[in-house]
């Protein structure tokens, strides 16, 4: 069974930093493209970032480019999101999301971790 | 970036009746070399992460009831629930994965009338 477990969320002040982690199990992590997707309270889904299975291809939403960095450690079956220069509007539940079995849609989701940016 | 729009914002349908949700992309998400539209549909129930229902615009994910169907190509897409059940109350999102910047639609809330 595919399992994705996010951690690292919490309360941070504007301008601060936070690092999210996602522990993956139940599938071959090193063969899977991964994403971070977020959802602000009461709002819709916003794709944040993508990293290919080898880490050679990385993409970001314009809203986070230059502030967030996605990375992965295939030896540890782990995905990360380093978030710097955080803003109020970054407040959201952040989901770790695996690509689908047949394409780059999101086939599997974690339960999410809440990031709150507030002074 | 490709902008996704959905209509309506919300709808209420009687149990057993049909629900139809539309999704439009600001540019084509059809890849001519394989004739596939890079469009997925997701269902999100309150307090839960989303779940994929449809990918490649019309391929149903394994385990998804056959009352859910997707259609369309290029820029215009539709998700149809043929006979609404109580457990289908949720918000439904479309998403394009054609470009390197993936984008979601704003969502459509489905309720029971």
């Amino acid at each position: 069974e595919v399992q994705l477990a996010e951690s690292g969320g919490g309360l941070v002040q504007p301008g601060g930093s936070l690092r999210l982690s996602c522990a993956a199990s139940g599938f071959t992590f090193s063969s899977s493209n991964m994403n971070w997707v977020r959802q602000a309270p009461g709002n819709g889904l916003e794709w944040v970032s993508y990293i290919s299975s080898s880490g050679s291809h990385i993409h970001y939403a314009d809203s986070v480019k230059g502030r967030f960095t996605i990375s992965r450690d295939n030896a540890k079956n782990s995905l990360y999101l380093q978030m710097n220069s955080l803003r109020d509007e970054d407040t959201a539940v952040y989901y770790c999301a695996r690509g689908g079995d047949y394409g780059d849609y999101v086939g599997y989701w974690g339960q999410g971790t809440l990031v709150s940016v507030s002074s | 970036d490709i902008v996704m729009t959905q209509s309506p914002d919300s709808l209420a349908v009687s149990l057993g009746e049909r629900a139809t949700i539309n999704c439009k992309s600001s540019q084509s998400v059809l890849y001519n070399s394989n004739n596939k539209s890079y469009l997925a549909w997701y269902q999100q129930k309150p307090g839960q992460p989303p779940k994929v229902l449809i990918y490649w615009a019309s391929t149903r994910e394994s385990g998804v009831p056959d009352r859910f169907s997707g259609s369309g190509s290029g820029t215009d897409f539709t998700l149809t629930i043929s006979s609404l059940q109580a457990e289908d109350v949720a918000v439904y999102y479309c998403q394009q994965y054609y470009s390197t910047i993936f984008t979601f639609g704003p969502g459509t809330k489905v309720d029971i009338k």
Side-chain angles (χ1 to χ4, degrees), chain A residues 2-87:
Chain A
V2 171
Q3 293 197 359
L4 300 166
E6 304 92 339
S7 60
L11 177 63
V12 61
Q13 292 187 335
S17 298
L18 214 53
R19 189 194 196 208
L20 304 184
S21 299
C22 172
S25 61
F27 64 100
T28 305
F29 181 75
S30 59
S31 299
S32 297
N33 300 330
M34 300 294 296
N35 300 268
W36 288 99
V37 178
R38 70 184 181 183
Q39 187 168 35
N43 284 14
L45 302 170
E46 180 186 14
W47 171 82
V48 172
S49 185
Y50 163 97
I51 185 168
S52 61
S53 56
S54 66
S56 59
H57 298 282
I58 287 175
H59 307 294
Y60 298 99
D62 290 344
S63 58
V64 307
K65 197 175 297 182
R67 300 187 299 123
F68 289 12
T69 302
I70 192 171
S71 62
R72 63 190 297 159
D73 186 335
N74 285 344
K76 294 183 177 180
N77 289 345
S78 293
L79 176 73
Y80 306 101
L81 186 68
Q82 177 66 44
M83 304 185 295
N84 298 331
S85 302
L86 282 162
R87 306 167 180 168

Side-chain angles (χ1 to χ4, degrees), chain A residues 35 37 39 43-45 47 50 59-60 62 95 102 104-106 109-111, chain B residues 1 40 42 44 48-52 55-56 61 93 95 97 100-102 104:
Chain A
N35 300 268
V37 178
Q39 187 168 35
N43 284 14
L45 302 170
W47 171 82
Y50 163 97
H59 307 294
Y60 298 99
D62 290 344
Y95 293 104
Y102 306 103
D104 275 336
Y105 56 92
V106 177
W109 301 73
Q111 290 299 310
Chain B
D1 298 353
Y42 302 88
Q44 187 178 30
Q48 297 183 19
K51 166 190 168 183
V52 65
Y55 55 92
W56 301 132
E61 173 75 338
Y93 298 91
Q95 181 216 11
Y97 50 102
T100 56
I101 307 297
F102 301 158
F104 288 92

Side-chain angles (χ1 to χ4, degrees), chain A residues 102 105, chain B residues 36 39 52-62 70:
Chain A
Y102 306 103
Y105 56 92
Chain B
K36 289 181 183 290
L39 190 284
V52 65
L53 299 174
I54 303 284
Y55 55 92
W56 301 132
S58 60
T59 301
R60 197 179 303 114
E61 173 75 338
S62 175

Side-chain angles (χ1 to χ4, degrees), chain B residues 2 25-32 37 73-75 77 96 98:
Chain B
I2 298 177
S25 57
S26 61
Q27 63 189 74
S28 177
V29 298
L30 174 66
Y31 194 43
N32 290 326
S37 287
S73 180
T75 61
F77 303 91
Q96 65 79 19
Y98 177 88

